[in-house]
């Protein structure tokens, strides 16, 4: 799972790097947690648009009360893209790019976990594969596609985001589901830089234990 990403670039730099129209928003790039505001690039009538959205599709669990707030599902399993996520994955207009400079995983003993950051050495400003949709609860929302981690990264986490090659951005946004599925692969561990830190994982208020982050 990926529950924390960062984007260390300005709105103008991100828009320029992805050839996208700048958004009309005061939101700024930075660290993003599930339920927070992050940036995505999507296709809008044949042109790319950079947009601020909520990270996580709102989902209500069966045991929740009707008045309870929905939980943000911020990660989409690759093996469920043609089942649970089919509506959005098979529609190119509902796929998006999620610009990042790094993503983080938690390492260490329970209660003492620290942040381990992974960045893409050959893409200082990379893009993860994502899906997005409008919602009544939080407006436009997005989720990040995940695959099994490479063997070299299993000691950090058993899942990793689908990091796209720059040459595949157009295909993710426009291709058929069959072609897009070919892009749902692991990124080589040799091209990921691991930075272990002493920063506590829960440096902010953690989410409820029953929060679904991966479907």
């Amino acid at each position: 799972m990926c529950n924390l990403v960062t984007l260390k670039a300005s709105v103008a730099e991100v828009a320029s790097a992805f050839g996208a129209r700048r958004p009309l928003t005061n939101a700024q790039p930075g660290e993003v947690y599930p339920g927070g505001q992050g940036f995505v690039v999507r296709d809008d009538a044949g042109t790319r648009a950079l947009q601020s959205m909520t990270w996580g599709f709102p989902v209500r669990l069966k045991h929740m009360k009707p008045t309870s707030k929905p939980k943000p599902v911020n990660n989409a399993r690759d093996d469920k893209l043609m089942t649970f996520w089919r509506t959005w994955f098979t529609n190119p207009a509902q796929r998006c790019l999620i610009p990042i400079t790094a993503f983080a995983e938690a390492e260490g003993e329970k209660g003492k976990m620290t942040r381990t950051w992974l960045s893409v050495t050959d893409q200082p400003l990379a893009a993860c594969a994502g899906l997005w949709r409008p919602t009544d609860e939080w407006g436009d929302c997005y989720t990040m596609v995940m695959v099994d981690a490479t063997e070299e990264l299993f000691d950090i986490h058993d899942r990793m985001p689908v990091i796209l090659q720059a040459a595949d951005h157009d295909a993710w946004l426009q291709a058929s589901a069959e072609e897009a599925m070919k892009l749902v692969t692991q990124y080589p561990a040799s091209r990921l830089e691991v930075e272990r830190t002493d920063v506590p994982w829960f440096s902010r208020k953690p989410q409820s234990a029953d929060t679904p982050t991966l479907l």
Side-chain angles (χ1 to χ4, degrees):
M1 294 185 292
C2 179
N3 293 325
L4 173 60
V5 300
T6 189
L7 180 56
K8 296 180 179 179
S10 68
V11 171
E13 288 171 335
V14 176
S16 176
F18 289 92
R21 185 176 67 246
R22 292 182 58 175
L24 299 175
T25 177
N26 291 324
Q28 294 298 316
E31 292 186 356
V32 187
Y33 299 88
Q37 290 291 304
F39 283 91
V40 307
V41 175
R42 65 180 182 86
D43 186 79
D44 182 20
T47 62
R48 290 184 182 180
L50 178 64
Q51 184 176 343
S52 174
M53 297 185 186
T54 300
W55 186 16
F57 281 22
V59 170
R60 294 184 180 279
L61 303 179
K62 293 181 179 179
H63 69 273
M64 294 171 62
K65 298 178 180 179
T67 56
S68 298
K69 294 181 180 180
K71 302 296 184 179
V73 178
N74 54 293
N75 293 158
R77 291 175 58 103
D78 60 321
D79 57 346
K80 292 189 177 182
L81 290 177
M82 293 302 291
T83 53
F84 183 87
W85 302 101
R86 182 183 179 89
T87 299
W88 305 287
F89 174 67
T90 57
N91 182 357
Q94 301 306 137
R95 294 188 217 125
C96 62
L97 308 174
I98 305 171
I100 66 165
T101 48
F103 66 96
E105 298 292 359
E107 283 196 287
E109 306 177 33
K110 187 176 181 179
K112 298 181 180 179
M113 289 184 169
T114 55
R115 298 179 182 184
T116 293
W117 288 97
L118 296 96
S119 56
V120 187
T121 57
D122 60 329
Q123 293 192 73
L125 186 53
C128 297
L131 308 172
W132 77 277
R133 72 176 176 94
T135 72
D136 293 332
E137 296 89 346
W138 302 326
D140 291 344
C141 299
Y142 68 97
T143 190
M144 183 180 291
V145 181
M146 306 293 286
V147 291
D148 288 339
T150 62
E151 183 178 351
E152 300 93 330
L153 300 178
F154 248 69
D155 61 324
I156 298 175
H157 203 284
D158 61 356
R159 305 288 288 180
M160 66 186 293
V162 173
I163 301 168
L164 297 167
Q165 304 287 348
D168 293 330
H169 291 175
D170 280 340
W172 181 254
L173 295 176
Q174 301 170 4
S176 65
E178 181 180 9
E179 291 301 312
M181 188 65 80
K182 296 176 182 178
L183 306 180
V184 180
T185 59
Q186 299 165 325
Y187 205 77
S190 60
R191 289 151 62 185
L192 295 175
E193 180 178 354
V194 178
E195 179 188 1
R196 290 180 166 87
T197 75
D198 295 325
V199 179
W201 178 254
F202 290 125
S203 60
R204 64 154 200 162
K205 184 179 179 181
Q207 296 183 59
S208 170
D210 65 354
T211 297
T213 60
L214 178 64
L215 279 176

